[in-house]
Amino acid sequence: MSASQPAPLRPPEIAPAWRLRFKKALLRWNSRYGELERIVGSGALSPALVKFLQFIVVETLEGRGDRLTESFIAEKVFHQQEFAPSEKSVVRVEKRRLRERLKDYYQGPGKDDPLVISLGSTFVPVFSARVNDAPETERRKFPWQWTVYVAAAILALAAVATWTWLRRTAPEDFALTQLTYDSGSTKEPAISPDGKLVAYTSDRNGEGNLNIWVQNIATGDRARLAADPADDDEPSFSPDGSKVVFHSDRDGGGIYTVAILGGELKLIAKTGRGPRYSPDGQRIVYWVGESYFVRTQVYVVPSSGGTPLQVQPKFYGAHDAVWSSDGKYLLFWGQRNESSAPDWWVAPVDGGEPLETGAFAMFARQNLSAGVPAAWVDDQVYFSARRDTTNLWRTTISPRTGKSSGRPRRLTFGTGQEREPSVAANGNLVFSSASASTNVWRLPLDPKQGQVTGNLERVTRDLSTEVFPSISVNQRLAFCADRSGKREIWVKDLAMGKDTLLATSSSEFDSPKITPDGLKVAYAVANPSWAIHVVSSTGTEDRLYPNGGPPRAFSADGTKLLYEAKSCSPYCVGLLDLSTGKTEELIRHPKLALYPESFSPDGAWVAFQARPVDNDSNRTIYVAAFADGQVGGPDTWIQVTDGNHMDREVKWSPDGGLLYFLSERDGFRCIWAKRLDRQTKHPAGEPFAVYHFHHSQQSLSNLGSPGKVGLSVTRDSLVFSLAETTGNIWLARARK
């Protein structure tokens, strides 16, 4: 710096001790801190709740509200160093007690306090000014009070300005308001561009299916749009707020539009999910396929209907696209080829070279597990991600350069699953906050007839997510769980009530399968090279078989294992012979992707499913004779289903006369069955429903991948994972 240039003005450096005293002095002038002292001094709270309230208030006032997570509070307030939210609920229980005690306080000794401290969906306290109901003439009797108030206000403003410098950065400042209070599943909100309306998906009608609702944010008035017995979901507003585009399962599924004031329902595209209007309202982007199978495509179609145009057709997988503010670019989840890692990509809508954002690498450095982009406003991308809890985040991605820059910033701090943000022009956003549990369930039935004989029964009752169940003849249950926050494989002896932990990993295991005798469990991990592990059910032995894939089923004698072979393209059926340790491709087809399902009880037949390589969303179930470790060519395969529906997860009845499977042929993911001739295995009669899951609160669809359902057949029941979900919609209003 030259001598002629004045030095930049900087705030004076404050020694740590002075700085601490200065901060405390400022807090004394802060009305929020004063309210905390009033509550503590009232004796309305127990010592434990006093400590809890003091901690979250001071952390917030000192600019550290973004640290108020369940795990952090458990460590600092309740001295629980090894805290797993999935196993322990002490923080949530104490939060509920604190909320109730605060309510009692403000209805009693604190009824005249000028400020109210409350707790919403997060651990960050909310401070609200109490409305003064005294008559105007009464307030004028004490003009000296206003002098005190003005002075206090000036000091408070000075404190705020100084605090801004002291803490350098502040958490995002939103006022939260709950918009819906449903006991069921209300989710997938979209806010209108002017911020006055919110559309969302809900099962509040009590009929078990999902419908689209539109609600006036100011008044709470709401109306159901285009009701149908099939599920309607994923709504999004047109730029002028007059229409809603959404996905529906009606008539085989598709993208529809409807006016919010009522009118004709219009089919825009026969298939697709995640529709979004372009900023000018002239086009709609959507995607086709199933994200958990990666092979997906993004399309753009005129908003009046017409011929869809595929975006970036050379991508191996692309889905969940959002528009840039000028409508020239799309940001989407993408995987360029089968062997590449996924990332967020930016691509010109009308063609051109895509740009990789590098967002996933940045998220990994921040220990964030993020999914898809939810909204893109100017250069700000809103999304949901999990660190210790699932919250809303924001990061910067330039439409021009396509690059992610800066650290992602957390916007919400709740303990529920906060997802699906949607942003209005005024900066307000809506999101869903859900509570979900996934356990293993049992459905009593006569497996030879496909007739249900009793009510659903819960097999596991942990707070963790428990998926991929597989059960042996002697009632040993293998499954995946996240009880410690990591992915784990457990075996539960249902007769003895004993749980055994077999394996733990920071990455997800794929589909553990237990042998019929319950002595061994097989599972796969992606690295290295989709290796198959076969361990004893007591965890004392572990054998590794490289170049395999996700296990699907053991033979009755436990010597052979069907697996999804990753060595061939398209996918094919692999076979592991445990007696020789050899893996090989058992069934393949040049034009079909094949997925193994199960061995027949006598080991003489194999069931599998097939789909065209162009990612047609329908599946066909086949069975084929299995002898001497071989399966014949396609001309020997027996077609069981017609290939016009999404049918998979196929399991045999104990006598080989029925095939049970998951199907979405009625618009929901339910359990169906198909009769077979016991000798020839040719189909006999039409498929029939065994058990319907037409209620979104208890659903097989909420698990995402159908493999996580883990349908199994025992001598007297079906066993599977089932998700129970409840949720509501919240408004985050940006403070001025």
Side-chain angles (χ1 to χ4, degrees):
M1 181 181 295
S2 66
S4 61
Q5 291 177 308
L9 293 176
R10 295 180 180 177
E13 292 295 330
I14 301 177
W18 282 100
R19 181 172 178 173
L20 178 61
R21 286 195 290 270
F22 184 49
K23 289 166 67 175
K24 288 183 176 180
L26 287 175
L27 282 175
R28 293 293 178 180
W29 285 104
N30 191 318
S31 61
R32 300 178 179 185
Y33 189 85
E35 181 61 21
L36 171 64
E37 289 189 324
R38 271 191 292 271
I39 297 173
V40 171
S42 71
L45 304 182
S46 67
L49 292 182
V50 165
K51 185 177 180 181
F52 193 171
L53 181 62
Q54 285 177 324
F55 182 76
I56 61 176
V57 169
V58 172
E59 286 292 299
T60 301
L61 294 181
E62 294 193 3
R64 298 189 295 271
D66 59 342
R67 301 199 305 178
L68 291 177
T69 64
E70 190 171 355
S71 299
F72 185 69
I73 294 172
E75 176 186 353
K76 299 300 183 182
V77 179
F78 300 102
H79 307 294
Q80 298 190 12
Q81 304 298 322
E82 299 294 333
F83 180 79
S86 61
E87 293 181 314
K88 302 178 181 179
S89 59
V90 59
V91 181
R92 281 165 281 165
V93 170
E94 291 302 301
K95 176 188 174 182
R96 183 167 61 250
R97 289 174 179 167
L98 178 57
R99 183 190 289 122
E100 292 171 353
R101 297 289 81 77
L102 287 174
K103 182 179 179 181
D104 293 342
Y105 169 77
Y106 286 115
Q107 290 176 347
K111 59 183 176 60
D112 296 322
D113 288 4
L115 193 67
V116 173
I117 301 177
S118 60
L119 288 172
S121 64
T122 76
F123 291 111
V124 178
V126 177
F127 303 91
S128 307
R130 188 189 293 274
V131 177
N132 192 343
D133 295 326
E136 182 68 19
T137 55
E138 183 178 343
R139 291 199 297 269
R140 288 175 179 171
K141 292 180 181 178
F142 304 99
W144 59 269
Q145 289 181 335
W146 295 104
T147 304
V148 175
Y149 293 155
V150 170
I154 293 173
L155 287 171
L157 289 173
V160 170
T162 308
W163 270 119
T164 302
W165 164 68
L166 284 174
R167 57 186 179 151
R168 310 285 176 149
T169 59
E172 192 71 29
D173 198 9
F174 284 111
L176 298 181
T177 304
Q178 188 169 345
L179 297 182
T180 66
Y181 293 84
D182 296 311
S183 60
S185 179
T186 297
K187 57 184 180 178
E188 299 174 339
I191 194 168
S192 61
D194 61 7
K196 296 181 179 180
L197 302 174
V198 60
Y200 50 80
T201 303
S202 180
D203 63 356
R204 66 158 62 104
N205 60 316
E207 298 169 3
N209 61 314
L210 296 171
N211 293 127
I212 305 298
W213 293 74
V214 172
Q215 180 170 322
N216 186 304
I217 291 177
T219 66
D221 294 336
R222 61 197 184 193
R224 184 166 51 160
L225 298 183
D228 189 87
D231 277 347
D232 297 333
D233 54 13
E234 302 178 322
S236 183
F237 278 99
S238 61
D240 63 3
S242 66
K243 294 181 180 179
V244 167
V245 61
F246 62 96
H247 160 266
S248 178
D249 283 334
R250 68 186 74 195
D251 299 325
I255 303 297
Y256 292 81
T257 60
V258 66
I260 64 171
L261 297 179
E264 182 181 357
L265 190 70
K266 184 175 180 60
L267 175 65
I268 302 299
K270 187 57 181 171
T271 59
R273 304 201 65 92
R276 303 289 187 91
Y277 273 100
S278 61
D280 62 6
Q282 298 302 305
R283 294 184 284 185
I284 293 172
V285 66
Y286 64 95
W287 60 276
V288 173
E290 295 178 275
S291 59
Y292 39 81
F293 283 112
V294 179
R295 204 75 172 103
T296 50
Q297 304 92 34
V298 171
Y299 289 89
V300 170
V301 65
S303 56
S304 58
T307 303
L309 175 67
Q310 187 173 351
V311 177
Q312 298 298 326
K314 294 183 179 180
F315 265 65
Y316 177 72
H319 58 84
D320 287 281
V322 293
W323 297 89
S324 62
S325 295
D326 61 7
K328 296 180 180 180
Y329 299 91
L330 290 171
L331 174 67
F332 59 92
W333 184 103
Q335 186 172 349
R336 195 154 197 176
N337 54 64
E338 190 172 358
S339 60
S340 64
D343 200 353
W344 288 354
W345 291 77
V346 172
V349 178
D350 297 320
E353 189 65 21
L355 300 171
E356 187 172 7
T357 66
F360 277 20
M362 176 184 63
F363 297 155
R365 291 193 296 270
Q366 302 298 321
N367 196 27
L368 278 180
S369 176
V372 300
W376 196 12
V377 181
D378 297 326
D379 62 352
Q380 298 298 300
V381 179
Y382 297 78
F383 60 100
S384 178
R386 179 174 179 82
R387 184 177 280 166
D388 48 357
T389 54
T390 300
N391 302 111
L392 305 188
W393 292 73
R394 187 177 68 192
T395 192
T396 301
I397 294 180
S398 166
R400 183 179 58 84
T401 66
K403 293 300 180 183
S404 177
S405 61
R407 292 168 59 95
R409 187 171 189 177
R410 183 162 15 194
L411 304 181
T412 61
F413 304 89
T415 57
Q417 297 181 12
E418 296 172 341
R419 304 180 185 274
E420 306 157 342
S422 175
V423 187
N426 60 4
N428 292 347
L429 61 86
V430 292
F431 63 95
S432 65
S433 180
S435 174
S437 64
T438 301
N439 290 112
V440 180
W441 292 69
R442 174 180 176 271
L443 178 66
L445 90 166
D446 177 352
K448 296 180 181 180
Q449 301 300 322
Q451 295 179 350
V452 175
T453 59
N455 297 324
L456 274 173
E457 304 169 359
R458 194 194 302 263
V459 176
T460 62
R461 295 182 177 274
D462 294 280
L463 296 176
S464 64
T465 297
E466 298 172 335
V467 293
F468 292 116
S470 175
I471 192 167
S472 66
V473 174
N474 58 355
Q475 298 296 292
R476 288 184 178 175
L477 176 71
F479 56 92
C480 280
D482 57 359
R483 295 178 178 179
S484 67
K486 295 183 178 181
R487 302 297 181 183
E488 303 164 337
I489 292 180
W490 290 80
V491 170
K492 185 179 186 68
D493 189 321
L494 299 181
M496 303 294 293
K498 179 183 178 182
D499 289 6
T500 301
L501 176 63
L502 293 188
T504 302
S505 173
S506 57
S507 60
E508 187 166 356
F509 295 110
D510 202 300
S511 61
K513 299 299 177 186
I514 196 166
T515 53
D517 60 11
L519 297 179
K520 297 179 180 178
V521 175
Y523 64 89
V525 291
N527 293 308
S529 63
W530 278 104
I532 298 175
H533 293 255
V534 178
V535 302
S536 68
S537 58
T538 59
T540 58
E541 178 188 2
D542 187 350
R543 295 186 63 184
L544 180 67
Y545 302 90
N547 302 315
R552 292 299 179 231
F554 276 103
S555 58
D557 61 5
T559 63
K560 295 178 177 59
L561 175 69
L562 293 174
Y563 66 90
E564 186 180 304
K566 300 292 188 177
S567 58
C568 50
S569 182
Y571 297 119
C572 60
V573 177
L575 178 70
L576 167 61
D577 189 326
L578 274 70
S579 61
T580 65
K582 180 182 178 182
T583 58
E584 62 178 336
E585 296 171 5
L586 178 65
I587 317 173
R588 67 179 305 162
H589 192 283
K591 297 182 178 180
L592 296 174
L594 305 178
Y595 302 89
E597 292 290 1
S598 53
F599 283 104
S600 62
D602 60 7
W605 300 85
V606 171
F608 57 98
Q609 52 148 309
R611 66 166 176 83
V613 293
D614 61 2
N615 200 40
D616 186 343
S617 59
N618 297 335
R619 307 296 171 95
T620 304
I621 296 174
Y622 291 93
V623 296
F626 177 75
D628 300 323
Q630 301 293 321
V631 168
D635 57 330
T636 67
W637 302 350
I638 299 172
Q639 184 174 338
V640 177
T641 58
D642 58 17
N644 294 326
H645 307 283
M646 186 63 75
D647 301 332
R648 50 240 174 128
E649 283 296 297
V650 186
K651 301 297 184 293
W652 298 76
S653 64
D655 66 347
L658 275 178
L659 283 182
Y660 291 90
F661 56 95
L662 303 183
S663 180
E664 299 173 23
R665 60 186 58 226
D666 64 355
F668 302 87
R669 185 177 292 171
C670 303
I671 300 175
W672 290 67
K674 178 85 169 183
R675 298 191 185 279
L676 304 178
D677 183 281
R678 286 190 175 89
Q679 300 300 320
T680 67
K681 304 306 178 190
H682 284 276
E686 295 297 318
F688 63 93
V690 176
Y691 199 87
H692 287 296
F693 293 90
H694 290 186
H695 200 291
S696 59
Q697 291 181 47
Q698 284 192 326
S699 172
L700 301 178
S701 299
N702 289 342
L703 277 75
S705 169
K708 293 182 177 181
V709 175
L711 182 64
S712 299
V713 182
T714 73
R715 57 181 176 79
D716 60 358
S717 64
L718 299 179
V719 175
F720 47 86
S721 285
L722 179 66
E724 297 179 286
T725 305
T726 59
N728 277 288
I729 308 301
W730 288 73
L731 169 69
R733 183 179 288 107
R735 297 186 190 273
K736 301 301 183 181

